[in-house]
Amino acid sequence: MARLVQLTRPKEAVHLVEVELRAPLRGEVLVRVEACALGQLDWNLLTLDAPPRLPLVPGHEAVGVVEAVGPGATLRPGERVLVTPLAGSCGTCAACRGHDARHCPQVAWRGMHADGALGTHLLAAESALVALELPVGMAPLPEVLPVELAANLAVCGGSLWTAMGAVRALHLVQPSKVAVFGVGGVGHLVVQVARALGHTVFATDADPERMALGARLGAQPLGPQVDAAVVCTPSTQALQQAVRLLRGGGRLALTGTSPTGRVDLAVADLVWRGLTLTTGLLGTRDDLDEGLALLFAGKVQPSVERIGLAEVPAKLWSLRDLGFPGRLVVLPG
Ligand SMILES: [Zn+2]
């Protein structure tokens, strides 16, 4: 019997259900979830008038162990996998052929178009899962992960991948000044990734608790001018402030999103000052591997609050005001 968190009606509270999941079909595997992160994307889903499907299990990034496999599967029971926001794609378009499924016109997002990992188990296409590869020379992970490690790995498939991808999208070839706007689930990882890569990091957040988290992670208060910026909040004011702080020729990456967020920038600012605006949701496969390497080297330490499945319905509401420092991670075991 699997226990899952489900949304059954738009804008209503999620609740716990017990279901008997069917055996995996061809190309599918059954994953026992060890830890699943909860973030703003999950909250955004709960605010939609018409979610793409119902009932729906949220949860777009997690870590787990393959428990059963369908016919023809290449993953084996006992293998550890990362669940990422990518749930499926066409497999044949230019983006898919270039191993960049996030830009496939038919991409399906986990916890939105397909059930997410917020429960004890997840039935998923194996092509959408990432087998966890450890850095060379590292001892194999234990059969039962320590809770700290499980929680840390839960944020790798989405938040850390996005943080790494956003910093790489800045194309910084020498040590630079980088401003981070929003020290939340992704932002606090951007601060650490950028510092680990040798940059000087400045950070700001409207929330004092998250501001303090940024300072503990080595970020300085915003300086007068920066080479690059990562805006991890859908706030228009943060975006405009980032544009003002950038030097001519500077680069800006956006990762924060909300159903109602808007970009409102002076075109002249971008054109005359030669600013480059890019976005980041996940990165390349190399970015994911590089993020994992930083985690296993101890250079990135996610800030997480661990909770049980039963606490999810109430805790999801705490994400509403963007006020949570780090990530909430659910340990369903
Ligand atoms: Zn495609």
Side-chain angles (χ1 to χ4, degrees):
M1 204 56 115
R3 291 201 302 146
L4 308 175
V5 173
Q6 245 181 17
L7 175 72
T8 47
R9 292 168 194 276
K11 296 188 169 179
E12 283 195 1
V14 294
H15 52 267
L16 272 173
V17 295
E18 289 206 343
V19 294
E20 195 72 65
L21 291 177
R22 61 172 169 73
L25 303 175
R26 178 165 290 278
E28 286 183 336
V29 299
L30 178 68
V31 176
R32 176 173 57 79
V33 178
E34 296 172 290
C36 175
L38 268 184
Q40 203 59 37
L41 280 181
D42 301 296
W43 172 257
N44 289 348
L45 174 75
L46 304 184
T47 66
L48 297 181
D49 291 324
R53 57 176 265 168
L54 288 172
L56 179 70
V57 180
H60 60 276
E61 55 175 339
V63 62
V65 170
V66 175
E67 203 165 77
V69 302
T74 53
L75 286 171
R76 300 267 65 97
E79 276 194 78
R80 193 161 265 113
V81 289
L82 291 181
V83 176
T84 82
L86 292 169
S89 63
C90 79
T92 56
C93 72
C96 287
R97 289 198 312 275
H99 303 287
D100 201 11
R102 65 194 157 140
H103 298 139
C104 171
Q106 292 174 48
V107 65
W109 296 106
R110 174 83 50 211
M112 174 82 77
H113 306 107
D115 273 345
L118 199 47
T120 56
H121 292 80
L122 167 71
L123 202 51
E126 76 162 359
S127 58
L129 300 171
V130 176
L132 184 63
E133 283 171 31
L134 301 176
V136 177
M138 192 176 158
L141 297 179
E143 207 165 302
V144 178
L145 286 183
V147 289
E148 295 82 10
L149 182 56
N152 286 348
L153 288 173
V155 308
C156 289
S159 307
L160 182 55
W161 194 5
T162 292
M164 193 77 228
V167 174
R168 284 299 183 207
L170 299 174
H171 295 301
L172 302 170
V173 292
Q174 57 193 24
S176 304
K177 292 179 180 174
V178 179
V180 180
F181 291 79
V183 192
V186 171
H188 88 288
L189 295 172
V190 172
V191 169
Q192 296 180 68
V193 165
R195 290 196 73 227
L197 297 181
H199 305 299
T200 304
V201 178
F202 305 84
T204 187
D205 195 297
D207 179 83
E209 221 184 316
R210 301 205 296 187
M211 191 74 190
L213 173 61
R216 282 202 302 281
L217 295 172
Q220 303 172 28
L222 283 186
Q225 194 178 63
V226 293
D227 304 302
V230 184
V231 180
C232 307
T233 153
S235 148
T236 305
Q237 289 82 356
L239 183 54
Q240 291 168 339
Q241 193 184 1
V243 165
R244 281 197 298 276
L245 277 185
L246 280 173
R247 65 162 168 80
R251 291 182 73 95
L252 173 65
L254 298 181
T255 73
T257 176
S258 82
T260 54
R262 289 282 178 273
V263 170
D264 183 7
L265 295 173
V267 172
D269 254 348
L270 299 181
V271 176
W272 284 102
R273 293 171 52 216
L275 304 183
T276 302
L277 181 64
T278 183
T279 59
L281 178 58
L282 308 181
T284 64
R285 179 55 207 262
D286 283 349
D287 294 333
L288 176 58
D289 292 342
E290 200 175 351
L292 283 167
L294 288 180
L295 182 93
F296 283 118
K299 292 180 177 169
V300 166
Q301 173 65 53
S303 170
V304 301
E305 179 183 333
R306 301 190 297 265
I307 62 171
L309 262 190
E311 297 165 75
V312 169
K315 271 289 184 183
L316 258 182
W317 290 89
S318 70
L319 299 171
R320 176 182 41 180
D321 306 318
L322 304 170
F324 187 78
R327 268 280 178 260
L328 277 175
V329 174
V330 182
L331 299 165

